[in-house]
Amino acid sequence: MSSTAESVPAAGHERLWSVDDHLADILAAVHPLDPIELQLPDAQGCVLVEDVTVPVALPPFDNSSMDGYAVRTADVAGATDEFPAVLTVIGDVAAGSGVLPEVGPGQAARIMTGAPLPPGAEAVVPVEWTDGGAGGAAATAMRPAGAGGEGASGEVRVFRSAEARAHVRSRGSDVRAGDLALEAGTVLGPPQIGLLAAIGRGSVRVRPRPRVVVLSTGSELIQPGEELGEGQIYDSNSFALTAAARDAGAIAYRVGAVTDDADTLRATIEDQLIRADMVVTTGGVSVGAYDVVKEALSTVGDEDEPGGGVDFRKLAMQPGKPQGFGSIGPEHTPLLALPGNPVSSYVSFELFVRPAIRALMGREDVHRPVVRATLAAGKTLSSPAGRRQFLRGTYDAEEGTITPVGGAGSHLIAALAHADALIVIPEESVSVEPGMDVDVVLIG
């Protein structure tokens, strides 16, 4: 794939890509997934592609906001503890009631929260304003229907007056029929899913969450829980990146570590294409004798498929200099090949893979927030000339400061686990002094 800001390197020199050019190249090639209709439980986290209007008002009928009695206001006017209004109870109105009793002069109906206001009633008096039909002092709660001494018959004493519409939720007071419920582009979280259900929508048209396959490479890798042998290490990258992909909004599939064999890697990737909208590999992209990802991906799934292939690059950044990006297979599935060192891999994911995942989702906010913060460090931070360095740090929003965590080594995964931000040292800087302001990428 070609860069959006292509430059020709001098003879004998391999081009060194900038972080911005590499990211722009990725985002120019990654397009939102086609919309599909999904049931509400499956649409969470997806981006709505159509305006949704309200077919019925919410609430669809006048209903009570309290447990109490539905009354006519004239019947309780002037009611006090000393001179209560005494009303005849003509029935119960529960939530979901169909046939409703009509409240006439001198009458009341017991009503529960959410129940429709019966005809003739103008207000609801809370049960605490009455004796609950049991006689004596004010009630503290509604007694169960059919309990002795009160219920859907008898009398109730009301100790306070009520204005018209008191404790009544009016029809359409939330949204009215024809109102715009949600705009296209809305990300569907729990409140939005609830609203869609409330207005009767069982499914919606959205851009689906992308399916991202994550696999790590290296014959030295074994799975957590197994016994470490000589020269072996646990595969942490595939776990971290799978979790990061899910955090970005994807449906992520982790593939166990693949040995340093080009044919095995090629076959594994080809097998995974059937369930992948994006493939992410980690390891094997440098210049070592056993870095087989380049060899494997130079032809994987792209025979007779023009426009495919993976381009391996060196970036002017630290950590994460070696990167790969392109497309594979008949569907030209995007593939991002990341370095194998844990910190390099994770930083690369945050800078390149996360934005690509969110672009596939149709999200507008593809980037992590970036803020300015004052460096709170005990010493000067150095950075290689011509490289954009990303250091781990903890951000204090209240103080507006960023404190480095761990060193610059690309293997220091323990420090990464305690960081919630990346300190950015630009290419033109070789050092940053304590007290200086720096850009900070918030990843926590």
Side-chain angles (χ1 to χ4, degrees), residues 167-185:
H167 305 111
V168 174
R169 302 170 180 146
S170 298
R171 178 180 185 275
S173 57
D174 189 355
V175 289
R176 296 168 297 183
D179 283 352
L180 179 64
L182 295 172
E183 290 182 311

Side-chain angles (χ1 to χ4, degrees), residues 35 53 99 164 199 213 226 233 258 280 296 298 326 368 423:
T53 55
V99 179
I199 63 175
V213 172
E226 297 179 8
I233 60 173
V258 182
V280 178
S298 62
R368 288 286 200 183
I423 304 168

Side-chain angles (χ1 to χ4, degrees), residues 103-118:
V103 178
Q107 296 179 335
R110 281 211 322 166
I111 192 167
M112 315 307 157
T113 302
L117 190 71

Side-chain angles (χ1 to χ4, degrees), residues 92-94 96-102 116 118-119:
D92 271 0
V93 184
S97 292
V99 179
L100 304 175
E102 184 166 354

Side-chain angles (χ1 to χ4, degrees), residues 75-101:
D75 291 335
V76 296
T80 65
D81 291 344
E82 188 176 359
F83 300 105
V86 181
L87 306 176
T88 300
V89 180
I90 60 170
D92 271 0
V93 184
S97 292
V99 179
L100 304 175

Side-chain angles (χ1 to χ4, degrees), residues 229-270:
E230 196 70 32
Q232 293 181 322
I233 60 173
Y234 290 120
D235 171 21
S236 63
N237 283 0
S238 67
F239 285 90
L241 299 188
T242 301
R246 289 175 181 150
D247 183 68
I251 299 170
Y253 304 105
R254 190 189 71 86
V255 179
V258 182
T259 59
D260 288 323
D261 178 80
D263 291 336
T264 301
L265 177 59
R266 185 181 299 113
T268 301
I269 292 176
E270 287 176 338

